[in-house]
Amino acid sequence: MIARLTRRTALTMALTVAAAPAMAAETVKAVVIDGYPAGALWVKEFTNFFIPEVDRRLAESGNFVMEWQESYGGSIVKPKGVLEGIQLGLGDIGIVTTIFHNSKLPSQAISAVTPFVAADARAVAKAVDEIAKEFPTMQNEFAAQNQVYLATGVVLDTYQLFSKNPINSLADVEGGKVAGAGMNLRYLEGIEGAAGVRGGLTDFYNMLQTGLVDHAMLWPEAAKTFKIVDVAPYMLRADIGAVNSKTITVNKDYWDGLPGEVQDVLKEVAVLYRDHVAGIAMDRAAASRDAFVAAGGSIVEMDPAEREAWAKAIPDIAAEWAKGLDDKGEPGTEMLAAYLAKLKAAGHEGVRDWSAPVMN
């Protein structure tokens, strides 16, 4: 009798549990911002890769579900305003274009001060992100802006020179005005009479069209996206190098309120996004060059000897960068050496050793 009652009780309990509604997942809201349009590579892949991957991973436990609000193209902030927007809480998660903020995020310029070393987005993204996680400097700079660093993004395979007029060598750039952003304007100091004009990707088309500049430094995929061939149909393939220019950050106050499980997933997916976007940048590089030519553009390969001469004519911006951090008590010289060592281990040594002083 006792056995029958026990079995009956167990069956009743099982049916009760089965009939009970499953525990509802907690909803976590997230506002994602970037000033660039939804069609920009890194923004598009945030929508197509980052968000679905976060959702997929959270669904495995079923404890949390994200409610995403994506705001791009200047609806909340302009391209240069993401850092401040995340700092102020106008967005929860943002893709910061770091080249606009050299004074606030000086350590982020580590790849920009070492041109002509690696024309490989994947290698640069991995090396910079590892430096950010091995040294506290980069993360502390974002912390000072009320943000938590997640991962570095490299969206360009390598900078090239685009021009309104035929360009066959640096002689065609001498005395000209060149559009650029951030540290890459320093590269022009190695070209006689060239003057840099600061701007962003969304500005370059108009800058070239109106004659504000004669040339622009950008990469083929961006040239394709922003239809640069219409106003600058000539490209000098200089392979100046890949540069980290995007960092995924999270507002610190928002981050502190997130469940640990959600924090962990965001950190994991940010690294996957880092490699995913860099891989796409490299995969699309050749196709973007082909598209540039198909649309009426022409490409000239830079003479290797002239390329090396250009690299060596640039001021020692790497040493300046390292010293600037050293003087603040940060390990700039160590970071530079570690970064170049990572690239060398990955097979990228370049035509100039930026860890060695130039001998005059």
Side-chain angles (χ1 to χ4, degrees), residues 10 20 41 59 70 72 104 112 121 128 132 136 140 177 201 225 254 309 333 350:
L41 167 62
E70 298 177 76
Y72 308 130
K104 294 179 179 178
V128 175
N140 288 343
K177 293 175 290 184
L201 282 178
T225 299
Y254 173 80
T333 299

Side-chain angles (χ1 to χ4, degrees), residues 117-274:
V117 174
D120 188 324
R122 293 162 298 201
V124 170
K126 185 172 185 292
V128 175
D129 197 42
E130 288 178 354
I131 291 296
K133 288 162 182 172
E134 291 170 12
F135 295 86
T137 306
M138 288 191 185
Q139 297 195 47
N140 288 343
E141 288 173 358
F142 281 102
Q145 304 301 315
N146 193 38
Q147 287 164 67
V148 174
Y149 170 100
L150 289 189
T152 288
V154 175
V155 299
L156 59 104
D157 62 307
T158 176
Y159 278 123
Q160 310 287 9
L161 276 172
F162 291 81
S163 179
K164 296 173 62 175
N165 302 307
I167 180 170
N168 297 295
S169 69
L170 291 186
D172 297 317
V173 185
E174 292 177 358
K177 293 175 290 184
V178 186
M183 186 59 69
N184 67 12
L185 294 174
R186 295 292 308 276
Y187 309 163
L188 302 174
E189 295 176 31
I191 305 174
E192 185 176 349
V197 181
R198 188 179 298 273
L201 282 178
T202 53
D203 308 316
F204 285 1
Y205 187 101
N206 287 336
M207 292 170 74
L208 287 158
Q209 185 181 49
T210 60
L212 180 62
V213 297
D214 310 295
H215 320 279
M217 273 187 288
L218 66 160
W219 60 103
E221 189 276 331
K224 177 177 179 291
T225 299
F226 292 93
K227 305 184 187 304
I228 296 298
V229 70
D230 295 346
V231 291
Y234 304 97
M235 182 187 114
L236 181 63
R237 184 170 179 179
D239 286 348
I240 302 169
V243 173
N244 62 293
S245 58
K246 310 294 173 184
T247 297
I248 302 174
T249 70
V250 183
N251 174 275
K252 179 65 164 56
D253 303 316
Y254 173 80
W255 180 262
D256 290 342
L258 288 176
E261 181 182 333
V262 176
Q263 290 180 342
D264 290 342
V265 168
L266 289 174
K267 287 188 286 189
E268 292 165 4
V269 175
V271 173
L272 296 177
Y273 170 87
R274 175 200 78 188

Side-chain angles (χ1 to χ4, degrees), residues 22-27 55-65 261:
M23 184 70 69
E26 180 182 339
T27 298
D55 289 344
R56 186 188 70 78
R57 290 178 175 237
L58 290 177
E60 291 177 356
S61 70
N63 295 324
F64 304 97
V65 60
E261 181 182 333

